[in-house]
Amino acid sequence: MSEDNKIYKSGVFDFDVSSTDGNYTAPAYSFSTQDLGGTARLVFNVNKENVDLPLSSAASAKMAMQMADGSRYVVNPLIFDSLKGQITYSLTDDQLTHSGAVQAELYISYPNQGVQVHRFNFTINKALIDSDIAPIITYYVQTWEEWEAYFQSRMDELDQKLAGLQTQADNLQTQFDSFEPSQFVQQTAFLAHTSNTEIHVTAEEKTAWDAKETTEGAQEKADKALSDAKIYTDSFTDNYGPWVNVPLASGFSTGDSNPPQYRLKQVNTNEGIKTFAEFRGAIAGTFISTANSTVATMPTGTRPFVTYYGSGLSNNGNGGRIAISIDGKLLQVSSTDNANPSYVGLSTILYEVGN
């Protein structure tokens, strides 16, 4: 059967890249262990402030799944429609054998940054025909580099534990070497102690004690708390987009071999996440002191709330005024003292994006 004629059972998730809510709980999607051959499909529509989030060619997607039996998968979903920000992933036949509730997270990565999009869940119901299937716990990643990173992290943990055990052994040896015979209890006192039935723990007391939290259980809870805290704090770091060439108008070009570029960055402020545009490089051309020359036009989504006015450096050191209006026009308003520079720098420009 061709892909065009394949029948899909799709779970469609509409995600907004935001720090307000990292969990996605509805609707409740369920698949079956008989949804084989890639027919069980997850579809993610990624938005930013209720607008489709375009994904550049440098973007990649990852998804982590924690199955009901403890199995873990780290896979690479497909960016199906980069302009609409749509990502898809079809569950494999092996993954469908792990019936029960599935906890999952979706991530989007760029070469120098990454972002957790959302945590979500779905269910795999065991079909009656599969009632005798007993899947084993699986740990799976899609690339050798991810296996290397996984094994290295485990080796690092073992090295730390072994180093701690060696330190404890050294401390015990030092303590043992410092012992003197006079420090130890005499045999008569020792026998009197062992025969005292009132000061020793009873079987019932031992059972009650064994029911208390174990070291392993406490460590597991501590590890989860650390992981959750890291995910939470990572959501407050600033996100930087890639550098993009400024769309120059005719008659203007790169100045001083320093391409004029801009990028968007998202900054966590006490008023929430805000987006800013920052610039670098220089523009060469004819700059007349009294003319408002349109040097470039910034695209929608990178323009200021209100007209931006600022000063820019120039090759002759006199500088000049630059304006960026709400319709995106980047204007050379004037230059100092009729200097008429041959190029103007952009590194001083920074404004909040409004449209």
Side-chain angles (χ1 to χ4, degrees), residues 58-287:
S60 62
K62 287 190 182 295
M63 182 174 68
M65 293 186 292
Q66 178 78 41
M67 318 306 276
D69 59 3
S71 298
R72 285 179 55 84
Y73 291 88
V74 178
V75 299
N76 299 323
L78 171 68
I79 297 180
F80 183 76
D81 191 328
S82 59
L83 292 179
K84 294 183 178 180
Q86 188 176 81
I87 300 171
T88 63
Y89 181 77
S90 294
L91 298 174
T92 67
D93 294 354
D94 174 71
Q95 292 163 359
L96 288 168
T97 63
H98 303 276
S99 59
V102 180
Q103 302 293 326
E105 289 183 342
L106 178 67
Y107 317 93
I108 295 177
S109 299
Y110 290 89
N112 296 317
Q113 67 168 334
V115 62
Q116 176 193 358
V117 178
H118 265 295
R119 180 176 297 178
F120 61 98
N121 56 70
F122 58 90
T123 303
I124 300 174
N125 295 320
K126 181 179 287 188
L128 292 178
I129 197 172
D130 296 327
S131 59
D132 294 332
I133 293 180
I136 62 174
I137 295 179
T138 304
Y139 295 87
Y140 173 78
V141 292
Q142 277 195 310
T143 65
W144 173 248
E145 288 77 9
E146 291 168 335
W147 270 119
E148 271 192 318
Y150 177 81
F151 288 136
Q152 186 61 51
S153 66
R154 296 300 179 269
M155 289 295 295
D156 292 342
E157 292 176 5
L158 289 175
D159 287 343
Q160 292 179 0
K161 290 181 180 179
L162 289 174
L165 291 174
Q166 184 62 52
T167 300
Q168 294 179 32
D170 293 342
N171 292 338
L172 288 173
Q173 183 64 50
T174 301
Q175 184 179 4
F176 180 80
D177 292 341
S178 66
F179 286 157
E180 295 290 340
S182 59
Q183 295 177 268
F184 298 99
V185 177
Q186 298 301 309
Q187 183 179 18
T188 54
F190 176 76
L191 293 176
H193 172 80
T194 56
S195 62
N196 189 336
T197 59
E198 296 181 356
I199 63 174
H200 294 101
V201 178
T202 65
E204 292 78 8
E205 291 172 331
K206 185 177 184 300
T207 300
W209 178 262
D210 289 342
K212 298 182 181 298
E213 181 65 275
T214 64
T215 302
E216 292 79 8
Q219 183 64 52
E220 181 179 355
K221 292 178 180 178
D223 291 343
K224 185 178 185 306
L226 177 61
S227 176
D228 291 345
K230 185 177 185 301
I231 292 173
Y232 177 77
T233 54
D234 285 349
S235 69
F236 286 91
T237 58
D238 296 340
N239 291 321
Y240 290 82
W243 286 105
V244 180
N245 290 333
V246 173
L248 297 175
S250 176
F252 295 92
S253 61
T254 294
D256 195 31
S257 301
N258 196 355
Q261 295 179 322
Y262 72 93
R263 70 177 177 182
L264 300 181
K265 66 176 182 179
Q266 293 181 327
V267 179
N268 287 282
T269 71
N270 58 359
E271 297 178 352
I273 296 179
K274 294 189 176 183
T275 301
F276 292 85
E278 61 179 351
F279 290 71
R280 68 182 183 184
I283 299 176
T286 301
F287 298 98

Side-chain angles (χ1 to χ4, degrees), residues 42-58:
L42 304 173
V43 179
F44 309 102
N45 295 316
V46 183
N47 303 318
K48 176 62 179 173
E49 297 177 354
N50 297 319
V51 177
D52 294 342
L53 178 65
L55 301 173
S56 70
S57 59

Side-chain angles (χ1 to χ4, degrees), residues 9-13 29-35 39-42 91 96 122-126:
K9 290 175 65 175
S10 298
V12 181
F13 299 85
Y29 290 111
S30 296
F31 300 103
S32 167
T33 53
Q34 283 294 304
D35 293 334
T39 58
R41 183 169 66 173
L42 304 173
L91 298 174
L96 288 168
F122 58 90
T123 303
I124 300 174
N125 295 320
K126 181 179 287 188

